[in-house]
Amino acid sequence: MIKIGLMGCGVVASYGHIPVITASKEFELTAIYEPDPSRTESLQLTYNVQVYTNAEAFFRADFEVVVITSPAPCHYDNVMCAARYGKHVLCEKPLATNEREAAEMIAVMEQNGLLLFTAFDYRFSSAAQTIKRIVKDGLIGKVRSLRLSYIWNLHGKYINSEDQPNMRRSIRMLEGGPMVDCGVHQIDLARWWLDSEVTSYRSEGAWVDEYEAPDHMYLHMKHANRAHTMVEISYSYCFTAKEPVSHFTYHLIGTEGIVYYNREAKIFEMRNSTGTTLFPFAKEKNFPGMYEAFAKALESGSPKDVPTGTDGLIATRIARTATEDLIGRRSMPERSLTAINDPMLQNQNQS
């Protein structure tokens, strides 16, 4: 059994990580780090493991691997501590708040001979795995266009009434917005499915709510194989609606067919010259699959199918810089923006 210590015991840990770890034959949860002392007793009773409010005491506990599910701004310090204590790491997305932090995290783990993985669990959905095989086997020819969309309200602007803000949504917006928080999954999928790096990208977005970061955002990426990916992410879609809906879709368009996935309609199909193939529907997340691959990676000492720290860095870099570019452009005077986008004005300014 591989002994695991868990840092941060919030929503994603409760519904995703802990149930899989405790049900696994490969892993044993032996320690939890939760800095809020008011939660210590309830967590110990719920999971029957030692709960620590002090990070140093936590890292001295008996475990080999740390799973980091703390808020994104804590990831850098958490990984640095893990490296100091010789623990392999599986870290929730986004890996870091910026590229510099991610690069330092990767470097210190490598220097200490430790493995660093990013928890892009979308890769392990049977739907994502099937799409990977379709693209690899050329069943829809050469993929030229991907459209990956997830538009929703992140549980709404308010809880119960307009007097109680939804802090989960507010914190995610303050940490960078939907592309940094959630869009990194789609960025990673596009790179992984195509097996082709992103060579350039640009972004557009909208400010429906009142945050520095755009709450509805579009990212356009060009890949080395000349494919184009458009990622659309929203945290403002139905965010004040009484009866909100969300839409999660994948479109892949190839030279010989298409793949379409729709979570809400539970559609997963491929259409090509041989006909239409309907695949069993599966949700976009698969924590058990990720942990199964994680166990094999730890046993072999090789990442194999598990997203690495570098995968996390690349997604972080693209999402963060694309968001910051939008924020910067929004603050520019209207005439400056016009000049940037008008070739004739650009020529006049140069003469």
Side-chain angles (χ1 to χ4, degrees):
M1 297 281 283
I2 302 170
K3 294 181 179 180
I4 281 183
L6 181 88
M7 297 196 82
C9 204
V11 175
V12 71
S14 299
Y15 81 77
H17 293 270
I18 294 178
V20 175
I21 295 170
T22 55
S24 171
K25 295 180 180 179
E26 289 86 14
F27 296 104
E28 177 186 1
L29 182 62
T30 62
I32 292 175
Y33 170 70
E34 172 51 61
D36 182 358
S38 68
R39 301 189 66 204
T40 300
E41 184 177 355
S42 63
L43 289 173
Q44 287 182 168
L45 289 172
T46 301
Y47 300 116
N48 194 31
V49 298
Q50 183 66 44
V51 178
Y52 298 86
T53 57
N54 178 274
E56 298 296 326
F58 165 78
F59 275 109
R60 287 194 293 268
D62 182 24
F63 60 85
E64 308 150 61
V65 176
V66 61
V67 173
I68 297 173
T69 62
S70 56
C74 301
H75 291 178
Y76 175 82
D77 288 338
N78 294 163
V79 171
M80 290 299 176
C81 282
R84 192 160 65 249
Y85 282 90
K87 314 289 187 183
H88 301 297
V89 173
L90 174 66
C91 184
E92 258 296 338
K93 59 77 190 169
L95 179 64
T97 58
N98 56 56
E99 182 180 2
R100 178 192 59 78
E101 285 187 354
E104 289 184 20
M105 292 156 69
I106 292 168
V108 74
M109 291 293 285
E110 289 180 347
Q111 289 165 8
N112 286 276
L114 299 167
L115 298 171
L116 173 61
F117 302 102
T118 307
F120 286 137
D121 58 289
Y122 282 29
R123 282 198 192 189
F124 300 95
S125 164
S126 61
Q129 296 277 328
T130 297
I131 292 172
K132 176 71 171 177
R133 290 193 295 272
I134 289 170
V135 174
K136 183 178 180 181
D137 294 344
L139 299 182
I140 58 170
K142 295 181 179 180
V143 179
R144 297 302 190 198
S145 176
L146 296 88
R147 186 172 66 192
L148 313 179
S149 178
Y150 187 17
I151 53 176
W152 68 308
N153 66 354
L154 191 54
H155 310 293
K157 185 171 184 176
Y158 303 105
I159 297 175
N160 300 326
S161 73
E162 293 190 4
D163 296 327
Q164 188 176 3
N166 172 12
M167 294 308 298
R168 186 179 180 192
R169 180 177 183 276
S170 297
I171 290 170
R172 299 291 179 89
M173 286 303 306
L174 292 171
E175 289 176 353
M179 192 62 69
V180 171
D181 176 48
C182 196
V184 288
H185 275 301
Q186 278 75 6
I187 294 168
D188 179 69
L189 282 178
R191 292 181 54 247
W192 180 61
W193 280 337
L194 294 174
D195 193 22
S196 182
E197 293 299 336
V198 176
T199 56
S200 63
Y201 52 92
R202 60 184 177 85
S203 57
E204 294 295 341
W207 282 260
V208 184
D209 206 353
E210 300 172 358
Y211 290 93
E212 180 184 41
D215 43 83
H216 197 122
M217 189 167 166
Y218 304 86
L219 173 68
H220 295 271
M221 303 187 297
K222 289 185 179 179
H223 297 262
N225 66 355
R226 299 186 179 182
H228 169 267
T229 294
M230 190 277 283
V231 177
E232 179 187 17
I233 298 289
S234 179
Y235 281 173
S236 57
Y237 188 79
C238 288
F239 76 126
T240 56
K242 182 178 180 180
E243 299 177 346
V245 295
S246 63
H247 299 287
F248 187 107
T249 58
Y250 301 142
H251 288 85
L252 287 83
I253 303 173
T255 55
E256 297 178 25
I258 65 99
V259 170
Y260 175 54
Y261 173 93
N262 184 317
R263 183 183 67 187
E264 283 65 47
K266 295 186 177 180
I267 297 171
F268 182 26
E269 65 182 22
M270 174 179 68
R271 294 175 182 263
N272 59 17
S273 59
T274 64
T276 300
T277 304
L278 302 179
F279 299 105
F281 178 79
K283 290 186 176 180
E284 75 279 7
K285 295 184 178 183
N286 184 3
F287 284 95
M290 179 175 68
Y291 272 92
E292 182 180 344
F294 183 37
K296 292 178 180 177
L298 291 170
E299 182 180 355
S300 67
S302 171
K304 294 194 174 182
D305 297 325
V306 186
T308 63
T310 300
D311 291 317
L313 180 151
I314 292 170
T316 295
R317 173 205 299 145
I318 293 172
R320 177 65 68 179
T321 56
T323 300
E324 289 176 350
D325 176 63
L326 271 180
I327 294 170
R329 281 190 275 141
R330 188 191 190 201
S331 65
M332 295 177 67
E334 189 66 29
R335 178 171 171 77
S336 298
L337 287 172
T338 303
I340 288 172
N341 294 292
D342 190 323
M344 184 169 291
L345 286 175
Q346 289 176 352
N347 291 335
Q348 290 176 357
N349 290 336
Q350 292 171 0
S351 59

